[in-house]
Amino acid sequence: MKKAIKTYLRLTFNPIMTIIALIFAAVLMVAAVKEPAEPGSEDYMSMVGAIGFGHIGILLFMLVGAMKTTQNKFFLSLPFAKDLITTAPVILCGALGLVFDLTAGLITHFCWNGIPNDDVIIVNAANTILMTMIVCLIARNSYNVLKFILYMGYFLQGIFLPKIPGLSDGIFGGEAGHSLAGCLLAAVIYIAGLGVTHLLLRKWWNSSLRGPINVPAAAIAAN
């Protein structure tokens, strides 16, 4: 497993993409902290969604590795190919998302002057899962319908979230004192979402055709 994760990191790391990802995430975070919208206001859930959109940095960082491992037959023939394809991207995306979410949670907790940040914690957890699935299912044509739903949910969340009835005041009604409940709900989202993503990749791995390059599974079944 360690070899698979190290290999994926080497494949995906690109200084330029990494810098762009960090800048993108930082700009969204600073903008939200500088002028936070109050719970109940028209812009509140749009702001929470904007913070969550910072997870696009994960896609920018992981994109090269995701494309290489799905478009190159060589990586499907490696002795640790199964871990490289089905587990390493889930772990890396989850870890990157957790780092972003913890940073956002701490910054909003100390900078929002009494505004509860439970919505940020929960929505960010959901965005980590959305982005993990988007990255892990790139170029896997058997999941095209699911990918379309994921893209719509992620890229249009700033529009959809404010229109959900009763959500403008926050998931817990905009009241303080729900941090533990928010963290517990986020933990459930992380565990369930990452687990489902791993299962989807395992299902793809065990299918008759693996990925868009149409490599017969029987040809590399020994791996």
Side-chain angles (χ1 to χ4, degrees):
M1 180 58 65
K2 289 182 179 179
K3 191 170 185 179
I5 294 175
K6 289 181 180 179
T7 299
Y8 206 107
L9 275 174
R10 286 199 299 269
L11 289 173
T12 200
F13 179 75
N14 181 294
I16 296 177
M17 294 294 278
T18 301
I19 292 172
I20 294 174
L22 290 172
I23 292 174
F24 199 100
V27 168
L28 288 174
M29 198 87 68
V30 170
V33 170
K34 185 178 180 181
E35 296 182 7
E38 293 284 342
S41 68
E42 186 175 327
D43 297 326
Y44 176 66
M45 289 310 296
S46 293
M47 176 195 65
V48 173
I51 296 175
F53 193 74
H55 288 78
I56 199 170
I58 298 174
L59 175 61
L60 295 174
F61 180 82
M62 297 285 292
L63 183 61
V64 176
M67 296 307 296
K68 284 182 178 179
T69 54
T70 54
Q71 299 296 330
N72 194 319
K73 295 180 181 180
F74 169 75
F75 298 109
L76 288 173
S77 67
L78 293 173
F80 52 90
K82 187 174 183 179
D83 287 337
L84 181 68
I85 302 299
T86 67
T87 308
V90 178
I91 291 176
L92 289 173
C93 284
L96 290 171
L98 188 59
V99 169
F100 179 90
D101 297 349
L102 287 173
T103 302
L106 288 172
I107 290 176
T108 53
H109 175 76
F110 289 108
C111 297
W112 271 11
N113 297 321
I115 300 176
N117 67 341
D118 303 286
D119 300 312
V120 172
I121 293 171
I122 296 168
V123 172
N124 272 345
N127 272 288
T128 288
I129 301 306
L130 278 174
M131 188 49 66
T132 297
M133 287 188 172
I134 287 172
V135 170
C136 291
L137 300 182
I138 281 179
R140 306 196 195 286
N141 295 336
S142 55
Y143 294 118
N144 282 344
V145 174
L146 175 59
K147 287 190 293 183
F148 175 77
I149 295 172
L150 294 172
Y151 294 144
M152 290 290 288
Y154 180 76
F155 289 104
L156 297 180
Q157 63 182 297
I159 298 175
F160 289 151
L161 283 175
K163 298 189 181 299
I164 298 176
L167 202 59
S168 62
D169 289 328
I171 295 172
F172 295 121
E175 298 177 3
H178 293 286
S179 295
L180 179 58
C183 290
L184 289 175
L185 181 53
V188 171
I189 293 172
Y190 288 129
I191 295 170
L194 294 176
V196 168
T197 305
H198 185 248
L199 289 175
L200 290 173
L201 289 177
R202 290 291 294 270
K203 181 181 178 181
W204 173 84
W205 179 266
N206 293 325
S207 64
S208 58
L209 294 175
R210 294 179 181 171
I213 55 177
N214 293 325
V215 180
I220 51 174
N223 298 319

